[in-house]
Amino acid sequence: MRSFTIRKWKGRILASSLTITDVEAGYGSVRVLHGVSITVEDGESVVLLGSNGNGKSTLIKCITGIVRPSAGAITLDVDGVTTDLVGMAPQDIVGLGIAMVPEGRRLFPALSVEENLVLGAFRKEARPMIAENLDFVFETFPRLKERRGQLAGSMSGGEQQMVAVARALMSNPKILLVDEPSVGLAPILVSQMIAKIKELKDQRAMTVLMAEQNFNQAIKIADRGYVIVHGEIAYEGATAEDLSNNDMIKEYYLGA
Amino acid sequence: MFTFDLLINAVAAGLMLGGFYAAVAIGLSITFGQLDIVNIAHPTFVILGSFVAFVINESFGIDPVLIGVVFMPIFYFLGMGLYQIYYVSFEKTGQESLSGLAFFFGLMFILEVLMILAFGVDYRLVSAAYIGETLHIGPLDLPLRMLIPAVAATLMTIAVVLYMSKTFMGKAIMAVSQDRLALQLMGADPIRVKRIALGIAIATAALAGALLIIIQPVEPSVGRLYIGRIFAIVVLGGMGSISGTFFAAILIGVVESFIATFYGPSWAPAVGFGILLLTLAIRPQGLFGRA
Ligand SMILES: Nc1ncnc2c1ncn2[C@@H]1O[C@H](COP(=O)(O)OP(=O)(O)O)[C@@H](O)[C@H]1O
Ligand SMILES: [Mg+2]
């Protein structure tokens, strides 16, 4: 299998980071995020931990423009170009090289696996690389190659999660946002999926932000992370060890 | 009396009739089947295509098929504009289901009235050298006024199927009603995708209309005769399947031709719905539906 350990892809030095500052957001009159600030530096795997309903998905949706923050800033730095993402449409944000694996996967159920993957390469920058990216994801997930003609809606949960991750990779992203890959999957499949994402991140020199409530799974990929409680960052762990040793996390996740 | 000659001529006439039905149904297959837009005015755009062919053919003697093809881009922009109005007035505010239907109903009547004001209620014809000709192959009689539209419709279907399956935009059109947000996450603007799709749908009406007026004389409200049949074809073929629509159109054409030949033409229009109901009882997703 090909391996790219230096932070280069197709000869270009890639540098990409996200900075989220004092973001407030919600739905209608319900405030969900209260002044959230996080950063994701180039090449990092950052995890956003928090149990159900604390605002993880809302924050991810703010980054991709699905939810518009009422205050605060979200900036993307790619190869020295800084873009303010607030107010941009999701398709334009995705066009800058951010891919999102949404909670619940959101495949196109009546399209085949391959058609789903091809749509992943819709953005202009990804189109010239469609053939090699398709080879790459089929190499990564051989199961999808076998099932390329099957309707996505008729696949098992684990296979659908593979399609969702593979489809995001087809857009050749610099930053990959993954929202709760563990939902609805057996623990063994979650472990495999997280290991795969970690491997992909290294191979493709991507920057990863993953929202997850399953601490024991998320910690496997984390360089560092945040804990979000009731829409506020309650703890910031500078390393995976910090996260593991933190009392609050133990209380929340490890039943200590 | 049931003879071999009668049989194969009934089949041939049905295939040609079905080919023409496909030309009218393809556009609706895109709007209704792919976009979930109940464009009840589609046959009226087909009639508009017929009158464009009539006017230009009468003034300049240009071949009606050529006129249909040349007007496809103009109808494409018409369709894009139509979607924009529909989007701003209904979809944006989430009122597309009922008010949207009323919109297309209204559009149908307005277009019809405008055409009546412009052309009157008389039946109009086009002229072309081949319209009175018939190709004889053994026992087969193939009137060119049926054969040429069928061939043109088949070519148009192939072009649309290729566009849908081979281009990014075509795939996005297939996906847009399944999950609009997910499509945005692919980097596509769903409004633009739907605008292009409705543009293509209305573009097919330009050619379908030209083909119709080659087959038979046309007056402004003749489109209404086709509404039920065309919706039946789209549902029968399977929502979202363009090639399914084509085969369903052929099937309806052949069966109608059989009924007309062996039982009498008055039964033919009921056939489409009969087949539709029968199919839906056995295969709710239609003949070629995906899910
Ligand atoms: N579309 C929505 N409309 C209204 N409230 C929502 C919506 N989505 C999420 N919420 C609310 O926002 C809060 C945070 O939800 P979410 O960001 O999905 O949390 P998490 O991903 O951490 O489980 C919850 O109280 C949830 O009920
Ligand atoms: Mg969530």
Side-chain angles (χ1 to χ4, degrees), chain A residues 57 103 179-180:
Chain A
S57 296
E103 191 174 356
D179 194 359
E180 298 236 29

Side-chain angles (χ1 to χ4, degrees), chain B residues 16-146:
Chain B
M16 293 186 293
L17 180 66
F20 164 69
Y21 285 165
V24 183
I26 287 294
L28 193 70
S29 182
I30 297 171
T31 36
F32 184 49
Q34 312 270 22
L35 306 184
D36 291 338
I37 294 176
V38 189
N39 183 6
I40 206 153
H42 188 77
T44 312
F45 281 98
V46 173
I47 304 306
L48 186 64
S50 295
F51 275 98
V52 167
F54 161 70
V55 169
I56 295 179
N57 176 265
E58 189 178 60
S59 318
F60 305 102
I62 297 173
D63 180 78
V65 178
L66 183 64
I67 298 168
V69 172
V70 167
F71 268 80
M72 286 179 86
I74 295 166
F75 274 52
Y76 174 77
F77 287 112
L78 198 64
M80 294 221 290
L82 180 64
Y83 178 73
Q84 202 59 29
I85 295 170
Y86 173 72
Y87 169 72
V88 172
S89 323
F90 304 105
E91 246 184 24
K92 205 174 174 178
T93 49
Q95 308 172 309
E96 61 263 37
S97 40
L98 203 58
S99 318
L101 188 60
F103 169 73
F104 285 107
F105 239 116
L107 187 67
M108 178 178 99
F109 284 113
I110 291 169
L111 273 177
E112 249 181 57
V113 168
L114 289 177
M115 285 190 283
I116 289 171
L117 289 176
F119 307 107
V121 291
D122 297 337
Y123 278 93
R124 306 291 183 165
L125 294 155
V126 285
S127 49
Y130 50 79
I131 284 179
E133 301 289 318
T134 298
L135 191 66
H136 302 282
I137 305 173
L140 265 186
D141 295 330
L142 304 173
L144 293 187
R145 56 165 260 279
M146 294 301 295

Side-chain angles (χ1 to χ4, degrees), chain A residues 185-200:
Chain A
L185 296 190
I188 175 76
L189 291 177
V190 180
S191 298
Q192 286 169 5
M193 185 48 71
I194 302 258
K196 213 62 176 175
I197 293 171
K198 192 170 155 68
E199 181 189 322
L200 289 166

